[in-house]
Amino acid sequence: MWDRKHFLSIYDLSREDVNEVVAKGLDLKSKHHRGTLEPMLKGKAMGMVFRKPSLRTRMSFEMAMEGLGGHALYISDEEIKLGRREAVCDVARVMSRYVDVIMIRTFDQAEIEGLAEYASVPVINALTDMYHPCQVMGDVMTVAEHKGKIEGLKVAFLGDGNNVANSWVNAAAKLRFHMVLGMAEGYEPDAGILERARKDGAGIDMTYDAMEAVKGADVIYTDVWAGMGQEDEVKKRKADLGHLQVNDRLIEAAKEDVIVLHCLPAHRGDEITDSVMDGPHAVVYDEAENRMHIQRAIILELLMK
Ligand code: CP
Ligand code: NVA
């Protein structure tokens, strides 16, 4: 069961938890657009710690709090120097005295787990090298919004087996959709995460052939080939992952009504072409918007139970 105190990984949630949060996200989106959100977080504050850059995560979390009457306080790691200027346990204890929930984006998953261990308030994972759970919860919501459901669909993930891919594997462990990983050798998702999902009955196939991966797909997903912190590897990764580019040829091999997701930022011309990003199948801006709605649902789940 989900340790409701924190949100560190999709794997910590049950199938019911995932479905409940996604349904809540869709409901909050509808209320947001109708202007009927209630100030359920009045008097509540979130501390936001970033050790990596962000556009979507920072803005969507700040506006998630704002829209529910709460407050968000951004602090960059230039100031905190987590684990260098001050021990993680002390940062966790001190921040817990000021805010009601902590959101952190960092490198090491163990650092988030350390923070969660010592924080007396909920901690939310806003991306590590291992996972990007808020992103994939928003992605599942986006698929549900456009397709009515995710269960039974074919979802093809093409590219680097990175933090976003690992979180998709966790989602496949919880929800019954068919996941096909279109990969390059040496860039597969974490083997332990994959094995655990398969043991849980996840329907996950892996291929090194992009065309094979997208054949008949309902959803095509891609992400950058070199993530934050991997900037030195851009050239090598382009060469190794080049055959996985999401382009018009691949779209034609998928279902006629395929939707294309990308967590963004995108490197147009690398993992995805302009024609796909700007074409009729892409739902990437809905996906970006949904980060705010799903995070509202996650924050409410953590703070109101
Ligand atoms: N998708 C996502 O997390 O974007 P940012 O890195 O801009 O927050
Ligand atoms: N995989 C990317 C996701 C960015 C939102 C990275 O870690 O940089």
Side-chain angles (χ1 to χ4, degrees):
M1 276 301 285
W2 183 10
D3 167 8
R4 280 171 196 273
K5 190 175 169 212
H6 304 293
F7 179 56
L8 306 185
S9 159
I10 292 178
Y11 196 79
D12 300 337
L13 276 62
S14 67
R15 179 172 184 264
E16 293 69 33
D17 292 331
V18 175
N19 285 330
E20 185 187 315
V21 174
V22 167
K24 184 92 183 149
L26 288 165
D27 179 52
L28 288 164
K29 180 169 188 173
S30 149
K31 289 196 168 91
H32 176 96
H33 287 288
R34 281 186 281 130
T36 58
L37 278 179
E38 283 166 33
M40 287 181 278
L41 295 181
K42 195 163 186 297
K44 302 275 186 202
M46 165 179 276
M48 308 167 72
V49 180
F50 282 88
R51 294 195 66 183
K52 292 184 180 184
S54 170
L55 167 66
R56 279 144 292 271
T57 303
R58 177 171 177 189
M59 289 194 70
S60 59
F61 267 110
E62 286 203 20
M63 297 317 291
M65 289 300 290
E66 166 99 16
L68 294 175
H71 180 71
L73 180 68
Y74 169 86
I75 182 150
S76 98
D77 191 56
E78 286 304 299
E79 287 162 280
I80 301 184
K81 299 197 195 316
L82 192 65
R84 284 110 62 218
R85 179 172 185 261
E86 195 161 2
V88 171
C89 61
D90 288 331
V91 173
R93 288 171 178 141
V94 170
M95 283 188 76
S96 300
R97 299 290 179 104
Y98 301 135
V99 296
D100 303 281
V101 53
I102 298 169
M103 180 240 82
I104 172 164
R105 164 169 287 193
T106 189
F107 296 84
D108 194 352
Q109 180 73 13
E111 191 172 88
I112 290 210
E113 281 160 15
L115 197 76
E117 186 182 340
Y118 293 101
S120 58
V121 299
V123 173
I124 297 176
N125 181 352
L127 181 147
T128 59
D129 292 342
M130 183 70 97
Y131 293 131
H132 197 358
C134 294
Q135 178 66 54
V136 175
M137 289 296 288
D139 298 339
V140 171
M141 172 180 160
T142 306
V143 174
E145 180 180 43
H146 282 270
K147 297 284 180 190
K149 56 169 190 181
I150 187 165
E151 308 240 354
L153 300 186
K154 175 173 174 179
V155 178
F157 184 106
L158 265 73
D160 183 23
N162 60 14
N163 43 9
V164 176
N166 286 335
S167 284
W168 265 103
V169 170
N170 280 341
K174 302 295 163 180
L175 305 172
R176 295 287 90 108
F177 59 89
H178 179 203
M179 168 126 239
V180 180
L181 298 162
M183 294 283 125
E185 266 180 62
Y187 293 89
E188 297 86 352
D190 182 272
I193 296 170
L194 205 47
E195 191 188 331
R196 184 177 65 180
R198 284 183 167 140
K199 270 199 191 131
D200 289 346
I204 303 179
D205 290 316
M206 185 138 62
T207 171
Y208 297 93
D209 179 342
M211 210 40 122
E212 178 67 28
V214 300
K215 209 187 293 167
D218 300 281
V219 179
I220 296 178
Y221 200 102
T222 191
D223 183 16
V224 290
W225 290 334
M228 291 178 276
Q230 296 172 325
E231 290 79 6
D232 296 350
E233 298 172 34
V234 167
K235 210 167 151 209
K236 178 169 170 35
R237 285 171 169 267
K238 265 194 200 186
D240 293 345
L241 294 154
H243 65 289
L244 299 171
Q245 183 190 64
V246 176
N247 53 33
D248 292 329
R249 207 169 53 86
L250 292 197
I251 300 298
E252 272 168 33
K255 286 227 178 89
E256 211 177 320
D257 60 350
V258 65
I259 54 171
V260 177
L261 282 80
H262 189 312
C263 60
L264 308 181
H267 289 168
R268 287 167 173 256
D270 287 346
E271 76 277 0
I272 191 164
T273 58
D274 283 333
S275 59
V276 175
M277 271 288 281
D278 301 328
H281 298 280
V283 295
V284 295
Y285 307 112
D286 289 342
E287 182 187 2
E289 177 187 333
N290 288 343
R291 288 288 303 280
M292 176 173 68
H293 306 300
I294 202 75
Q295 285 156 198
R296 277 194 183 132
I298 292 166
I299 296 164
L300 287 174
E301 195 76 20
L302 293 169
L303 292 186
M304 308 306 275
K305 291 223 168 178

